[in-house]
Amino acid sequence: MKLSDFNYELPEELIAQDPLEKRDNSRLMVLHRDTGEIEHKHFYDVIDYFNAGDCLVINNTKVIPARLMGVKEGTGASIEVLLLKRKEEKVWETLVKPGKKARVGARISFGDGLLIGEVIDVVEEGNRLIRFEYQGIFEEILDQLGQMPLPPYITHQLQDKNRYQTVYAKYDGSAAAPTAGLHFTEELLQRIEAKGIRIARVTLHVGLGTFRPVKEENVLDHHMHSEFYMVDEEAAQIINETKAAGGRVISVGTTSTRTIESVAEKNGHVPASSGWTDIFIYPGYEFKTVDCLITNFHLPESTLIMLVSALADRETILHAYETAVQEQYRFFSFGDAMLIV
């Protein structure tokens, strides 16, 4: 399986730079796997494709304002730090730019000394372990100093931090948003539940590993980074009861999908569980639990387009993406959505 098998041409002007004023007003492409039929709808129409007895799996992770701009003590050089993974109470694995200015022992000041970070180790792929010093509560300082870690293809300034956050975000920990969930409103979720669709809330803290470019021409040589997940008893029960009653499990986003498929047993049963997953889903994978998927339009040659190509076959997905380009859909994080049924 070659990396180039997952490429497609995307005009730059179709990369969404800003969220729509109303979350559920985005467009929705409905892709029917069995026939290849494509329908063009709006996201608020998604409820029409759900049946009573189905369940919706959402990822309630919360994005932290993980991008910090600081200066190196002694030289005053500007340094950008992106928090990736908390290792200990005051130690984080980070991505630092420029890395050459952040050797072990380097100290970086943020917010005129409100927060100080010291590089204590260089780990996998050049990431830095940084130990932070501060007075008070780290999360409050981060909220004051940090910026939302928008993907590099978004060049506009985000006016409202909450727009890079789902309305159901609950648990701090992600370095990127589970973007398929950005389309939901509180009202739409209430209508979905009123129709008899249960909602299972799981957690996967999204790391940048999900979005790292695949550099190996042989896709199977790509290494996925691990991310922390939680599936509690209530979510597991909702999913298992749905499957037992013949309902469908509709996953919101690739992160929810990876969470459920990481813990699912061969017979589709989902146990309550927490831990780290580096599951890599690509064509040939047999889904154990997930039946349908709500997702955004993903970058060419990314692990995310490989995942959706595993649920619907690659040719069907690439044809859908070509159609989306022709129909001027908006792509990537703040873009439009696709429902695969």
Side-chain angles (χ1 to χ4, degrees):
M1 207 174 341
K2 295 186 298 184
L3 181 59
S4 54
D5 291 340
F6 299 93
N7 199 9
Y8 67 92
E9 293 297 321
L10 178 68
E12 191 172 334
E13 63 268 19
L14 294 185
I15 300 173
Q17 292 295 321
D18 302 288
L20 295 182
E21 184 178 344
K22 293 187 176 180
R23 291 174 182 260
D24 61 358
N25 275 15
S26 56
R27 295 170 73 189
L28 175 71
M29 174 184 285
V30 182
L31 175 61
H32 297 265
R33 283 185 288 164
D34 52 350
T35 63
E37 179 194 356
I38 289 173
E39 297 180 82
H40 303 290
K41 301 286 185 176
H42 286 94
F43 195 80
Y44 49 71
D45 297 317
V46 75
I47 191 172
D48 296 338
Y49 298 87
F50 302 160
N51 303 320
D54 290 342
C55 87
L56 196 67
V57 181
I58 60 177
N59 180 9
N60 60 11
T61 187
K62 192 172 186 180
V63 185
I64 60 174
R67 179 169 277 124
L68 290 162
M69 309 305 295
V71 294
K72 184 177 178 182
E73 289 187 352
T75 68
S78 295
I79 295 182
E80 177 183 330
V81 172
L82 185 63
L83 304 179
L84 297 179
K85 190 184 297 182
R86 195 174 211 150
K87 309 295 280 189
E88 298 173 22
E89 176 64 22
K90 295 187 175 184
V91 177
W92 285 76
E93 183 176 342
T94 69
L95 184 65
V96 178
K97 296 181 191 175
K100 62 187 179 185
K101 296 186 186 298
R103 295 188 172 90
V104 173
R107 290 173 60 84
I108 307 163
S109 173
F110 308 93
D112 293 326
L114 191 62
L115 182 67
I116 301 289
E118 180 177 346
V119 179
I120 59 173
D121 200 2
V122 180
V123 293
E124 187 180 10
E125 297 194 2
N127 292 347
R128 266 60 174 175
L129 289 187
I130 293 182
R131 181 187 292 115
F132 289 100
E133 304 166 12
Y134 51 89
Q135 297 292 323
I137 299 171
F138 182 76
E139 286 74 15
E140 291 181 358
I141 295 171
L142 191 61
D143 197 51
Q144 181 180 340
L145 300 180
Q147 302 170 16
M148 279 302 194
L150 295 180
Y153 51 75
I154 294 177
T155 57
H156 291 189
Q157 190 76 29
L158 183 63
Q159 300 303 314
D160 179 2
K161 280 184 181 181
N162 288 325
R163 293 310 307 274
Y164 194 59
Q165 205 81 268
T166 63
V167 297
Y168 45 77
K170 186 174 182 180
Y171 298 111
D172 284 338
S174 277
T179 54
L182 296 178
H183 304 282
F184 285 91
T185 63
E186 295 281 9
E187 182 197 15
L188 180 56
L189 289 168
Q190 289 166 7
R191 287 174 54 216
I192 287 168
E193 287 191 290
K195 190 175 176 178
I197 294 99
R198 300 173 75 184
I199 297 179
R201 292 168 169 82
V202 302
T203 306
L204 182 127
H205 291 320
V206 188
L208 292 188
T210 303
F211 304 96
R212 281 187 190 275
V214 180
K215 296 177 180 176
E216 309 287 347
E217 180 53 28
N218 181 351
V219 167
L220 305 187
D221 292 336
H222 178 68
H223 169 64
M224 291 286 283
H225 288 247
S226 61
E227 296 165 315
F228 183 77
Y229 71 84
M230 292 184 292
V231 180
D232 65 18
E233 292 281 359
E234 182 182 3
Q237 183 178 347
I238 290 171
I239 294 166
N240 292 331
E241 289 176 355
T242 299
K243 296 296 276 190
R248 297 173 303 168
V249 173
I250 303 162
S251 184
V252 178
T254 57
T255 63
S256 298
T257 303
R258 293 178 66 246
T259 303
I260 296 305
E261 292 294 317
S262 291
V263 303
E265 297 165 354
K266 286 186 178 179
N267 62 2
H269 179 267
V270 171
S273 175
S274 67
W276 296 85
T277 179
D278 60 358
I279 189 172
F280 182 14
I281 297 176
Y282 50 82
Y285 178 85
E286 293 190 11
F287 286 83
K288 301 186 284 290
T289 303
V290 171
D291 299 300
C292 307
L293 173 64
I294 297 169
T295 187
N296 280 19
F297 292 93
H298 303 295
L299 274 73
E301 299 186 339
S302 64
T303 61
L304 307 178
I305 196 171
M306 293 172 196
L307 185 151
V308 297
S309 297
L311 190 61
D313 67 78
R314 184 182 66 88
E315 292 79 7
T316 301
I317 288 295
L318 289 178
H319 172 68
Y321 272 55
E322 288 170 10
T323 302
V325 170
Q326 292 166 7
E327 296 290 331
Q328 301 281 289
Y329 274 69
R330 301 164 74 246
F331 278 66
F332 305 163
S333 293
F334 287 141
D336 296 317
M338 173 191 281
L339 169 63
I340 302 174
V341 293

